[in-house]
Amino acid sequence: MPHRPVLRSTLFAALLAAGGVCSAQADPALTVGNSLSYFQGKFGTNDTIHYYYDATDIQYGDNDWRVKLTVPYISATGLPAGATLTGGSVVGGTGSTQTRLASGLGDVWLAGHYKVFQGSGLTPSVTPYIKVKFGTASVSSGLGTGKNDYEVGVGLQQIIGSSWFPFANLGYRVVGNPAGYNLRNIGIYQLGASYALSQKNIVTLMYSGSQAMVAGGSAPSDVILAWNYNLTPQGSGFQVYLDKGLSNGSANFGVGIGGQIVF
């Protein structure tokens, strides 16, 4: 099957890094949140694609470990006929002159993180993670491939003084590959820093990228500016962010807003 270039969605990765810098939990806590993201661009095609991602997150954990379930609703307009969304990419539909609307339940994600080393001074904390993308999105509607993805990686977090929180995330994703798609496994990376203006206000600047999922495709590359506002010391609050794509494999721009409650 032919392939279209990559469609990229960062989906509050910066906010997840920023959200914990001033709201560490000594005891396990339940967090429920929702975020709505919008991305727009041609993504290297002849069509302007509008991509919406509405995610509900349920997380349980403390400062050392956490488990998170993400259930998304997705909608895309301007999607080439015959194309399929998968893992933030769009494949198939090459040569099509028609576009369509596709919407419905997306692929559900389950992630687990566990801190194996608490850093101090110039030594960062080390938090390995594992993620599973379940192929729950409709194959007939073009919202997914019906295949699972598996990702492993590690997060590094540092504290400089009382206000700076640099971080880096490195991962490797084994991509589910239906017959005829010829998708590739990819490396994923993020690098950035959060700055606490106060106990409530946190600003994050992050670079995010990955390898291209299809041979010859443009690798996603984005810069993200995010702001978290904590309403409670436990971390309940809201977030907004701006995304600027730096390659043909990314959206031209994206925006997002969300909130969470820590019980």
Side-chain angles (χ1 to χ4, degrees), residues 1 3 18 56 61 71 77 95 108-109 123 145 150 166 207 242 244 251:
M1 176 179 289
H3 301 289
T56 297
V71 181
T77 61
V108 173
W109 285 84
T123 305
T145 63
Y150 304 92
Y207 172 77
L242 300 174
K244 176 57 182 175

Side-chain angles (χ1 to χ4, degrees), residues 26 35 91 130 133 155 160 203 217 236 246 251:
S35 60
V91 297
I130 184 169
K133 186 210 78 176
I160 299 178
V203 177
S236 296
L246 304 178

Side-chain angles (χ1 to χ4, degrees), residues 10-21 57 59 66 68 70 113 131 228 239 260:
T10 55
L11 310 179
F12 282 85
L15 303 178
L16 295 178
V21 298
D57 296 311
Q59 177 176 287
R66 63 186 186 275
K68 185 178 73 170
T70 300
H113 299 72
K131 298 181 180 180
N228 281 60
Q239 313 89 23
Q260 63 184 20

Side-chain angles (χ1 to χ4, degrees), residues 163-179:
S163 300
W164 286 98
F165 304 86
F167 61 89
N169 299 308
L170 302 173
Y172 184 77
R173 183 178 300 173
V174 178
V175 177
N177 191 19

